[in-house]
Amino acid sequence: GAVVSQHPSWVICKSGTSVKIECRSLDFQATTMFWYRQFPKQSLMLMATSNEGSKATYEQGVEKDKFLINHASLTLSTLTVTSAHPEDSSFYICSAGRGDQPQHFGDGTRLSIL
Amino acid sequence: AQTVTQSQPEMSVQEAETVTLSCTYDTSESDYYLFWYKQPPSRQMILVIRQEAYKQQNATENRFSVNFQKAAKSFSLKISDSQLGDAAMYFCAYRGGLTGTASKLTFGTGTRLQVTL
C-alpha cells in the first residue's frame, strides 16, 4: 500500500523555538495533504488542508501564523510550529490523499515543548 | 457541518468472541464515504474498512464487517473472532464525496477496545 513518511517522530525543544515537521508521500503524488493534532486520549482534530502549490486552508480556531504549512511539491508538505510554547505540545499527524482514494497517514510526530 | 458520534468510549470483548462498535453521523450530502480506522498504542492510523454511501452492500474485510444503514445514518463495525492484536482505539470517520477531490475526514471521538483472554 501507499506509504507516507513523517519526520521527526519525536522532538523535544525549548519554549520559543520553531519546529518543522515533514510529511512525504513516498510512492504516489498527493494532491492534498492534511495536518491533524491529537491530544492524549482524544480524537484527531483537523488543523489545515494543504493543496500543492496553493495556500493552506485552516480550520476555525487554528492560528495560521502559528502553524505555517507549505506544500511545495506533490510529495512533500511541511508544518512549522513557530515560537512554540508548552501548550503546543501534542501529537501531530499528517495524511496524504489523491482523488477518491483513502488518505494514507504518517506515523505522527510527538512534540514536547519545555 | 458533518458530525460523527461514537457513543461507546470503551468496549471489552473476550478473545474469539464478536464485538460491535457503534457509529452514527449527520450529513446533508447524498454521496460520501465512511471509514473505520484503528489506532494501536503506537498511534499509527490503520485503515480497517471503507464504505461508499452509494453502495447498498455492506463492506467486509476478513474478520471485519460493517452494518451500514444509510437512512438511519448508522455505520457500525463488527469484529468477529476477536484477537489480542485487535485491542486499540477505533475511530469512525466521514468524508464528503466530491468526486476526484481528496476531501477532509471528520472523526468521531473514538472507542477504546480491550480484548481479554
Side-chain angles (χ1 to χ4, degrees):
Chain A
V3 177
V4 174
S5 173
Q6 188 172 339
H7 178 81
S9 57
W10 194 1
V11 58
I12 303 173
C13 61
K14 293 181 179 179
S15 182
T17 59
S18 293
V19 179
K20 181 183 283 188
I21 302 170
E22 290 189 350
C23 181
R24 294 180 182 271
S25 59
L26 298 183
D27 56 357
F28 75 105
Q29 293 183 324
T31 55
T32 308
M33 288 188 174
F34 304 86
W35 288 95
Y36 298 86
R37 184 174 182 175
Q38 186 179 30
F39 289 106
K41 299 185 178 182
Q42 293 190 23
S43 186
L44 280 73
M45 298 300 296
L46 180 68
M47 299 175 65
T49 301
S50 168
N51 291 299
E52 186 263 342
S54 61
K55 290 185 178 181
T57 301
Y58 289 81
E59 295 298 302
Q60 191 173 8
V62 178
E63 300 175 60
K64 59 182 66 178
D65 294 331
K66 175 75 168 176
F67 299 98
L68 300 179
I69 291 172
N70 182 276
H71 192 168
S73 75
L74 287 172
T75 58
L76 174 64
S77 178
T78 60
L79 167 67
T80 301
V81 183
T82 62
S83 187
H85 289 95
E87 59 266 28
D88 299 323
S89 299
S90 190
F91 190 68
Y92 294 87
I93 311 175
C94 72
S95 71
R98 183 181 182 88
D100 294 337
Q101 297 304 309
Q103 294 176 24
H104 299 279
F105 285 83
D107 288 343
T109 297
R110 183 176 298 176
L111 175 62
S112 297
I113 310 298
L114 304 177
Chain B
Q2 293 80 23
T3 59
V4 178
T5 302
Q6 294 179 250
S7 59
Q8 306 156 315
E10 291 189 6
M11 291 285 284
S12 182
V13 63
Q14 280 192 321
E15 197 176 18
E17 297 297 309
T18 296
V19 65
T20 299
L21 308 184
S22 301
C23 174
T24 59
Y25 58 95
D26 189 26
T27 183
S28 58
E29 297 177 314
S30 57
D31 293 323
Y32 49 87
Y33 301 87
L34 295 165
F35 305 85
W36 279 97
Y37 281 91
K38 169 184 177 181
Q39 189 179 43
S42 66
R43 305 190 80 170
Q44 183 184 18
M45 292 293 286
I46 301 167
L47 177 62
V48 175
I49 201 164
R50 169 189 183 187
Q51 174 82 44
E52 292 89 344
Y54 66 86
K55 291 186 177 179
Q56 292 185 340
Q57 187 172 8
N58 290 323
T60 62
E61 286 288 342
N62 301 314
R63 298 183 295 107
F64 299 88
S65 62
V66 298
N67 184 1
F68 173 48
Q69 302 290 327
K70 191 172 184 179
K73 295 180 181 175
S74 171
F75 182 62
S76 61
L77 173 69
K78 185 171 81 171
I79 306 174
S80 303
D81 186 26
S82 297
Q83 301 175 0
L84 293 177
D86 295 333
M89 196 75 169
Y90 286 81
F91 292 101
C92 178
Y94 171 101
R95 200 202 92 180
L98 287 174
T99 302
T101 302
S103 302
K104 66 180 182 181
L105 289 168
T106 300
F107 287 92
T109 51
T111 297
R112 183 169 300 281
L113 178 66
Q114 292 183 321
V115 181
T116 58
L117 294 171

